[in-house]
Amino acid sequence: MTAPSRPPLKSITPTPNGQQHADQTPARTAVGEPKGVAEGVPIAVRPAPHPGDGRRPVAWLLHIVAPPSWGITPSARSWCTCGYERQAIGRAAVLQLIAAHGEHRTACPLLDPTSEGRTAA
């Protein structure tokens, strides 16, 4: 038994053959300011740059997935804005990653402006 043929749901516009050019509009000559701008008012207003005090936000993130069941393997991920990124799978590896994350928080190159890691990042 054959299924009845279905009518097409969308009409497909045929593609034109050959090259077609876009409509050419005559170029308008620009005289003076753009319309809608009052005289003496700048078009784009930018705020004055604020001098920095040398501080910079640093983010240390530690994400641990430890399901309540002992049969499921825990995992963790540690990353920082300086480019430090580590992952661990398994109980022992996650514990080592937590310790390494704590060490990185004290030795991050973004905290010490004289360290060479800050200029590289």
Side-chain angles (χ1 to χ4, degrees), residues 2-17:
T2 60
S5 63
R6 298 176 68 193
L9 298 177
K10 291 185 178 181
S11 62
I12 300 174
T13 309
T15 326
N17 294 334

Side-chain angles (χ1 to χ4, degrees), residues 67-81:
S69 171
W70 281 93
I72 300 174
T73 306
S75 63
R77 179 175 176 231
S78 170
W79 67 97
C80 177
T81 54

Side-chain angles (χ1 to χ4, degrees), residues 18-103:
Q19 293 181 353
Q20 292 185 352
H21 298 285
D23 293 334
Q24 297 292 330
T25 57
R28 296 184 345 181
T29 57
V31 179
E33 296 280 332
K35 290 185 178 181
V37 177
E39 186 175 328
V41 177
I43 294 174
V45 179
R46 292 183 152 194
H50 299 285
D53 60 355
R55 294 185 298 172
R56 177 178 164 165
V58 178
W60 302 282
L61 301 169
L62 179 62
H63 182 242
I64 302 171
V65 178
S69 171
W70 281 93
I72 300 174
T73 306
S75 63
R77 179 175 176 231
S78 170
W79 67 97
C80 177
T81 54
C82 72
Y84 174 86
E85 185 170 351
R86 306 288 187 270
Q87 292 183 348
I89 298 174
R91 295 188 198 318
V94 167
L95 291 173
Q96 289 176 351
L97 180 69
I98 293 169
H101 178 79
E103 291 173 10

